[in-house]
Amino acid sequence: MKKISLILLFTTSILFSQNSSETCDILSKINALIQSEHIRPKPVDDSLSVFVFDNLINELDPSRNIFLKTEYDEIATKYRSNLDDFILSNDCSFLADITAKYKSGLLRTKKVLEKIQSQPIDYNKKDTIRFYKKSFPFYLKSEDLEKVWLKKIRYQILDDMAETSDNLDSIKANYKSIEQKSKNLIVSNEICRINTLLETNTKQEEKLYNFFCTYFDPHTAYFSDDSKTSFVASLSKEHLSLGMSVNLNEKNEIIIAEVDPNGPAYQTGQIKKGDQIISISNQKETLQVSCASLESISSMILSEANKSITLTLKRNSGKSFDVYIEKQVMKDEENSVFSFIIGKDSKIGYIKIPSFYADLDGNSRKGCADDVAREVIKLERDNIKGLVIDLIDNGGGSMEEAIKLAGMFIDYGPLSIVVDNNQAKSVINDPYKGLIYKGPIVILVNSNTASASEFFSSILQDYNRALLIGSTTLGKATMQTILSLDETKNTDFLKITINKFYRVTGKSHQYIGVTPDVVLPEFYESIYQKESDFPTAIKNDSIEPFLKYKTYVKRSLIDKLAKNSTARLADNYFFTNIKKINVKIDKLVNTPKAELPMTLDAVFNQKKVLNSLWTEINTFNDENNPLDVYNSSVNQFLLGVYPNDKTINQSQMDNLKTNPYLNEAVNVINEFNNSK
């Protein structure tokens, strides 16, 4: 037996050594590229080591219930300040060591959960639970492991029970049966989740690479060949798709929300709206939906590498059945530009740009800028008197498309100043002479308006070409490119921040965001993550202005329109109440919570408060008269040719009719036209 053990140990050591060498080789190539190409390279030192270690451990054990304090202290002493030394000396065996301890902790936890599963829980024992927003120190002792997990499971069961009815007396009347069902579900899911973590070939190496990258800035990232393919595909409005969307129902089950009649899911003839997804398989691994993370489920469904998927579905609590689907290249309707006309008397054009998707082939004219140009031409045929460009929740995309689009609305002149890692300045000029549209423009933005969409909106703001309405944007004014770590292999890539861009004024919105001319509140604005929330975000600065450019109108006119709009909305019902609801959201999310008694009454009341707030948000409507929203004459004709598009078209129109941001944009354009 000793001989076999020695052979196994020797083999394992060689395996870890090989993995360690390959891991360090990739990290070395990442670092070499960063040091030579990154806009703000930093040394690989103790500061990097602490950042990478802390993020890696937080990723593995965010709730501090897997690693014992003694285990954490041991690996922290060995590695927290020394990862830089290990990496630079080409020794990445620390990752195997940390992963082995993590898996040992998972196995230990699984045994505790199996014990809890087999025994009744005493709900009469007085206890409390506290929730923390930020990471807290490791504290877990071996003798307290069962107690900690019992507390967590007990709360989850009470929370699940509180969801079963709006009537507390009804739950208490059926307490025993409801508790048993909830307990079986909660504990089984926790065990299943741990089994998934143990069995799935989760690549801790990729997490290590990415934490190494994000030390330099939040947008530098490692890509495997698969993740690179998926990322590039996300920049296009056409990509491999199952032709269906999923959602959570009231029971927190993942169900089929919609099935596109033009897609592969519909063509199987087996999938219907409302079907529950039990498991997902890519032929290599299977995820049980009930205990897998939403991130892993999403990755399995969306990954461009998974060209075929097998779904295990259940319909109306019947028997489960398998459906094999091969993905097809489809147009993503929700990620495509669309337009409408607002109002009969004074027609205002409306264009929604969900993202700055690109023409990846380079010759098919399917990019965002060309699509917007086509919609403008359609709207102009109906003699619009103004244009609203909606960039709300537009997270960016292709900078080339943003440059092209800005050039279409600016007559001529510089668009931006780009600075590289040598502090060399270059100017991006308008690629087109003249304007595609000469009328007034209002741009709608919010906290999720980011990157390329901030770039576009800031240019039109500086040229006084558009008035911006909404919330301060995210604050990303850097540009990335994708480079191969080894051009002979082309299997590993780096998305790296190589430039920072400045406005024609010499100022930058990096870190601070673009401030709209008319600032309006939005739901959840105190909890949206902005660029400034990332600890490694590049800070704001400015450069001496040196560009000359001609504005569209005088700034005094924009300021007057903005001032009148702000005055008009001072007592607006919708925006006044958004502020009040945001105070409640902020209190729930950002205020330190008091300890909660572990009783059904306390958990039910907590759930009641949360559900009440959620209902208040979802049922909150604008008191303004509904807008008159309809299709341009060209789009009306196209709907007759493509009737399958009518459903999504009607849904888009209905969502706009009571949009208060759009309502005010129309008011601003009408005031501009009346002031001529």
Side-chain angles (χ1 to χ4, degrees):
M1 289 299 291
K2 285 183 180 179
K3 187 176 182 181
I4 294 172
S5 297
L6 285 170
I7 292 170
L8 283 172
L9 182 63
F10 181 65
T11 307
T12 306
S13 298
I14 292 174
L15 183 65
F16 281 162
S17 175
Q18 288 171 339
N19 288 345
S20 168
S21 177
E22 184 180 342
T23 301
C24 272
D25 181 50
I26 291 175
L27 280 175
S28 176
K29 289 174 179 176
I30 289 172
N31 187 45
L33 266 180
I34 287 175
Q35 298 302 328
S36 64
E37 305 294 336
H38 194 274
I39 183 73
R40 296 276 173 87
K42 294 182 278 191
V44 177
D45 55 15
D46 288 359
S47 178
L48 175 140
S49 180
V50 170
F51 178 86
V52 172
F53 180 86
D54 287 350
N55 277 278
L56 191 61
I57 295 298
N58 286 338
E59 177 83 9
L60 293 173
D61 192 6
S63 299
R64 308 297 191 242
N65 52 22
I66 302 296
F67 287 116
L68 301 179
K69 184 180 185 302
T70 52
E71 291 172 332
Y72 170 78
D73 289 344
E74 180 190 342
I75 55 177
T77 301
K78 287 168 69 175
Y79 304 125
R80 190 168 185 261
S81 299
N82 302 316
L83 291 187
D84 55 316
D85 300 321
F86 282 102
I87 291 168
L88 292 173
S89 61
N90 204 39
D91 179 6
C92 291
S93 58
F94 61 84
L95 189 61
D97 187 15
I98 293 170
T99 303
K101 284 183 171 57
Y102 176 61
K103 290 199 170 185
S104 174
L106 289 174
L107 288 168
R108 178 176 59 223
T109 302
K110 183 182 173 183
K111 287 182 180 178
V112 169
L113 287 167
E114 286 169 342
K115 182 179 178 183
I116 292 171
Q117 190 177 40
S118 66
Q119 296 176 352
I121 294 174
D122 180 8
Y123 294 93
N124 294 317
K125 183 181 177 183
K126 285 190 176 182
D127 204 350
T128 59
I129 192 166
R130 183 185 289 276
F131 300 93
Y132 295 90
K133 187 182 176 186
K134 295 182 179 179
S135 297
F136 51 96
F138 283 83
Y139 68 96
L140 192 59
K141 296 178 182 177
S142 178
E143 59 269 26
D144 295 332
L145 183 62
E146 185 177 338
K147 183 175 75 174
V148 166
W149 273 96
L150 191 58
K151 175 181 281 198
K152 180 183 178 182
I153 296 297
R154 177 177 166 181
Y155 173 77
Q156 287 180 308
I157 293 169
L158 292 171
D159 188 57
D160 187 64
M161 291 174 69
E163 286 281 8
T164 59
S165 174
D166 293 332
N167 188 317
L168 181 58
D169 291 334
S170 174
I171 299 173
K172 288 181 175 179
N174 300 282
Y175 189 96
K176 192 172 182 181
S177 61
I178 295 173
E179 186 275 340
Q180 190 59 51
K181 186 177 179 181
S182 291
K183 182 186 175 188
N184 289 339
L185 175 72
I186 299 298
V187 182
S188 295
N189 282 352
E190 285 287 357
I191 293 172
C192 180
R193 186 180 65 83
I194 286 176
N195 284 334
T196 301
L197 289 170
L198 287 166
E199 294 164 11
T200 305
N201 294 321
T202 306
K203 293 185 177 179
Q204 302 297 345
E205 289 85 1
E206 289 193 21
K207 292 177 182 176
L208 173 65
Y209 304 151
N210 272 311
F211 291 136
F212 185 95
C213 290
T214 52
Y215 172 72
F216 296 92
D217 83 288
H219 309 290
T220 294
Y222 164 83
F223 282 161
S224 64
D225 192 25
D226 177 24
S227 55
K228 181 224 174 189
T229 303
S230 296
F231 175 78
V232 172
S234 73
L235 298 178
S236 170
K237 68 174 178 181
E238 293 184 338
H239 45 79
L240 282 173
S241 172
L242 297 173
M244 64 179 209
S245 61
V246 299
N247 211 337
L248 285 174
N249 65 10
E250 66 279 358
K251 298 178 183 176
N252 279 329
E253 298 166 340
I254 295 184
I255 60 166
I256 308 292
E258 297 291 342
V259 182
D260 189 326
N262 300 312
Y266 181 85
Q267 290 161 11
T268 65
Q270 297 175 266
I271 299 175
K272 291 184 179 180
K273 182 178 177 178
D275 287 349
Q276 181 190 351
I277 302 177
I278 305 300
S279 67
I280 306 168
S281 172
N282 63 356
Q283 322 321 319
K284 294 178 183 177
E285 62 177 323
T286 299
L287 289 179
Q288 297 299 323
V289 168
S290 62
C291 56
S293 68
L294 287 174
E295 181 186 7
S296 59
I297 294 166
S298 175
S299 177
M300 178 84 79
I301 291 175
L302 298 177
S303 172
E304 291 280 312
N306 297 328
K307 292 181 171 59
S308 62
I309 291 285
T310 297
L311 297 177
T312 301
L313 304 171
K314 185 183 282 188
R315 184 174 301 148
N316 299 327
S317 301
K319 288 185 177 180
S320 59
F321 57 98
D322 292 343
V323 182
Y324 175 79
I325 316 173
E326 289 189 359
K327 292 179 180 178
Q328 295 175 9
V329 175
M330 294 184 66
K331 178 182 176 183
D332 185 349
E333 294 290 351
E334 292 186 357
N335 195 35
S336 302
V337 166
F338 61 85
S339 71
F340 293 105
I341 296 177
I342 317 294
K344 297 289 186 185
D345 299 325
S346 178
K347 297 177 180 177
I348 308 297
Y350 167 88
I351 296 179
K352 174 67 177 180
I353 309 177
S355 75
F356 281 85
Y357 51 82
D359 169 14
L360 300 176
D361 298 326
N363 53 19
S364 60
R365 301 189 71 80
K366 292 178 181 176
C368 161
D370 285 320
D371 283 354
V372 170
R374 277 189 281 271
E375 296 306 316
V376 169
I377 292 167
K378 292 177 192 176
L379 293 169
E380 288 236 79
R381 288 188 63 171
D382 287 322
N383 299 312
I384 58 169
K385 304 301 181 186
L387 181 62
V388 179
I389 298 176
D390 189 346
L391 296 179
I392 288 175
D393 293 333
N394 182 323
S398 166
M399 286 297 296
E400 287 81 1
E401 291 296 318
I403 291 166
K404 284 172 65 178
L405 191 60
M408 292 178 185
F409 293 105
I410 300 297
D411 191 3
Y412 64 90
L415 301 181
S416 179
I417 306 155
V418 178
V419 176
D420 64 17
N421 62 350
N422 294 317
Q423 300 306 304
K425 299 181 181 71
S426 56
V427 178
I428 299 174
N429 286 300
D430 181 353
Y432 307 109
K433 176 86 174 163
L435 301 165
I436 192 173
Y437 173 73
K438 295 182 179 180
I441 300 173
V442 169
I443 298 177
L444 303 179
V445 296
N446 74 338
S447 297
N448 288 330
T449 301
S451 194
S453 52
E454 291 178 281
F455 175 86
F456 170 78
S457 56
S458 67
I459 293 167
L460 269 63
Q461 186 181 48
D462 288 337
Y463 269 84
N464 298 341
R465 182 67 185 91
L467 182 145
L468 273 57
I469 292 178
S471 307
T472 301
T473 62
L474 182 128
K476 179 180 180 289
T478 57
M479 285 191 280
Q480 290 73 38
T481 191
I482 298 176
L483 301 173
S484 175
L485 293 181
D486 187 339
E487 292 183 0
T488 60
K489 292 181 180 178
N490 264 347
T491 55
D492 302 279
F493 303 86
L494 185 67
K495 177 167 72 78
I496 180 171
T497 300
I498 56 167
N499 296 120
K500 186 175 176 184
F501 57 83
Y502 294 80
R503 299 166 72 148
V504 288
T505 60
K507 295 180 180 179
S508 170
H509 57 261
Q510 169 61 27
Y511 199 80
I512 60 174
V514 177
T515 303
D517 303 292
V518 178
V519 177
L520 295 176
E522 62 178 320
F523 281 128
Y524 313 113
E525 63 186 7
S526 65
I527 58 175
Y528 275 132
Q529 192 169 44
K530 297 286 193 81
E531 182 81 1
S532 56
D533 293 319
F534 292 102
T536 59
I538 294 170
K539 299 298 188 288
N540 182 263
D541 63 356
S542 59
I543 58 176
E544 199 67 35
F546 60 89
L547 296 175
K548 292 182 179 180
Y549 58 98
K550 184 180 179 181
T551 58
Y552 178 70
V553 296
K554 290 183 178 179
R555 187 67 212 173
S556 58
L557 176 56
I558 298 288
D559 290 341
K560 180 185 174 184
L561 291 169
K563 184 179 178 182
N564 290 346
S565 174
T566 301
R568 188 163 49 240
L569 298 174
D571 298 319
N572 180 275
Y573 168 83
F574 184 87
F575 296 114
T576 300
N577 280 278
I578 279 186
K579 291 177 182 177
K580 291 178 181 177
I581 294 172
N582 276 340
V583 170
K584 296 179 184 179
I585 294 171
D586 184 65
K587 187 176 179 182
L588 274 173
V589 176
N590 296 321
T591 305
K593 307 242 181 341
E595 285 186 316
L596 182 75
M598 295 271 276
T599 64
L600 181 59
D601 291 66
V603 175
F604 183 87
N605 289 331
Q606 180 196 54
K607 183 73 67 177
K608 195 174 178 180
V609 170
L610 286 170
N611 287 345
S612 173
L613 179 57
W614 186 242
T615 301
E616 190 175 0
I617 293 167
N618 283 334
T619 58
F620 183 60
N621 291 313
D622 185 20
E623 280 195 335
N624 292 323
N625 293 325
L627 292 165
D628 191 0
V629 183
Y630 55 99
N631 289 290
S632 64
S633 52
V634 175
N635 281 343
Q636 189 63 49
F637 169 77
L638 291 172
L639 283 172
V641 179
Y642 303 103
N644 285 339
D645 293 341
K646 285 184 177 179
T647 301
I648 191 166
N649 177 269
Q650 187 61 51
S651 173
Q652 289 166 343
M653 276 199 291
D654 291 342
N655 287 336
L656 290 176
K657 286 177 180 176
T658 57
N659 185 319
Y661 303 92
L662 178 57
N663 188 81
E664 183 55 23
V666 169
N667 289 337
V668 169
I669 290 173
N670 286 334
E671 184 185 346
F672 176 87
N673 288 330
N674 292 332
S675 66
K676 287 181 180 178

